[in-house]
Amino acid sequence: MQKAIFLDRDGTINEEVNYLRKISDIKFFPDTPEALQKFKDLGFINIIITNQSGIARGYLSESDLKKIHKKFRSLLVSDLDGGELINDIFYSPHHVSGIIEEYKTDSDDRKPNTGMIRKAQEKYDINLKESFFIGDSFTDMKCAENAGLKKILVKTGYGINDYQKCKDENIDIDYYAEDLLDASGFVEKYFLKD
């Protein structure tokens, strides 16, 4: 079985821009590649798990999103061997308040539900007990809890605002990180402590 780092996208890997719709709006946090490389070096696969209700809301198409994700993967490459640092991307285009009928539904894939995690687990034979979810929102931490993953909340994106909500809802966060690089340091120490 493999171990995985499940990563939220906007506000965790890249800057939150309120519905990323264009490739030109992709702005990674400075230490994102270094953090992703560290996870790989520790033996994890990196999988993005992202709600993309902008599709249901009519802001962009699935085709637009696939182009954005293709660019994501081509930009996030290893300095060591040029290999991609993201192994896969799972997304949910659904939202009950959407205007595109096909996606105007509740879905088990939409975080905090665990459909995307289960699909990734099945595809990659992932041991969830050895895996982490890193995100910047209450929804991410609730999804991690629902899936039985270790939880790291980053202060980037919505993290500072959502920290108190996690506490209020009794979600026990394993680590509250400054950013993704700080989170990677925690993961490294977590596995070296044994």
Side-chain angles (χ1 to χ4, degrees), residues 36-103:
L36 295 173
Q37 183 67 58
K38 187 180 282 191
F39 295 137
K40 287 234 173 197
D41 293 345
L42 291 168
F44 290 90
I45 57 173
N46 294 322
I47 298 176
I48 293 175
I49 302 289
T50 180
N51 285 344
Q52 291 298 316
S53 70
I55 294 169
R57 297 173 198 275
Y59 298 154
L60 73 165
S61 67
E62 278 200 83
S63 174
D64 294 332
L65 183 68
K66 286 176 180 170
K67 288 175 189 164
I68 288 168
H69 284 166
K70 184 176 181 185
K71 187 66 173 178
F72 249 73
R73 293 181 74 166
S74 73
L75 290 172
L76 292 172
V77 294
S78 171
D79 286 340
L80 303 175
D81 61 10
E84 289 186 6
L85 294 172
I86 299 295
N87 294 84
D88 210 337
I89 302 175
F90 291 79
Y91 67 91
S92 170
H94 306 280
H95 198 283
V96 290
S97 299
I99 61 166
I100 308 297
E101 208 56 44
E102 178 184 354
Y103 307 112

Side-chain angles (χ1 to χ4, degrees), residues 3 30 33 55 66 86 99 105 125 133 135 144 148 159 178 187:
K3 55 188 182 182
I55 294 169
K66 286 176 180 170
I86 299 295
I99 61 166
T105 61
D125 190 30
F133 196 117
E178 291 295 325
V187 171

Side-chain angles (χ1 to χ4, degrees), residues 1-10 12-14 32 35-40 43-51 69 72-73 76 84-92 109 111 114-128 130-136 140-141 143-144 149-150 152 180:
M1 293 184 89
Q2 300 196 76
K3 55 188 182 182
I5 301 289
F6 294 103
L7 299 137
D8 173 55
R9 195 189 78 178
D10 305 323
T12 301
I13 291 176
N14 58 289
T32 293
L36 295 173
Q37 183 67 58
K38 187 180 282 191
F39 295 137
K40 287 234 173 197
F44 290 90
I45 57 173
N46 294 322
I47 298 176
I48 293 175
I49 302 289
T50 180
N51 285 344
H69 284 166
F72 249 73
R73 293 181 74 166
L76 292 172
E84 289 186 6
L85 294 172
I86 299 295
N87 294 84
D88 210 337
I89 302 175
F90 291 79
Y91 67 91
S92 170
D109 283 348
K111 295 181 291 185
T114 58
M116 290 187 281
I117 302 279
R118 288 197 313 274
K119 286 176 181 172
Q121 179 187 23
E122 187 174 305
K123 183 174 179 180
Y124 292 100
D125 190 30
I126 295 167
N127 181 343
L128 297 182
E130 289 193 350
S131 300
F132 290 79
F133 196 117
I134 305 173
D136 71 314
D140 294 328
M141 296 301 98
C143 177
L149 296 163
K150 287 177 272 305
I152 300 176
L180 195 58

Side-chain angles (χ1 to χ4, degrees), residues 139-172:
T139 300
D140 294 328
M141 296 301 98
K142 185 67 177 170
C143 177
E145 182 165 276
N146 291 340
L149 296 163
K150 287 177 272 305
K151 302 172 281 300
I152 300 176
L153 180 69
V154 289
K155 293 180 183 176
T156 51
Y158 298 116
I160 290 175
N161 294 332
D162 280 17
Y163 177 72
Q164 188 59 48
K165 185 171 183 185
C166 290
K167 286 184 78 168
D168 293 344
E169 298 290 329
N170 296 314
I171 293 179
D172 186 23

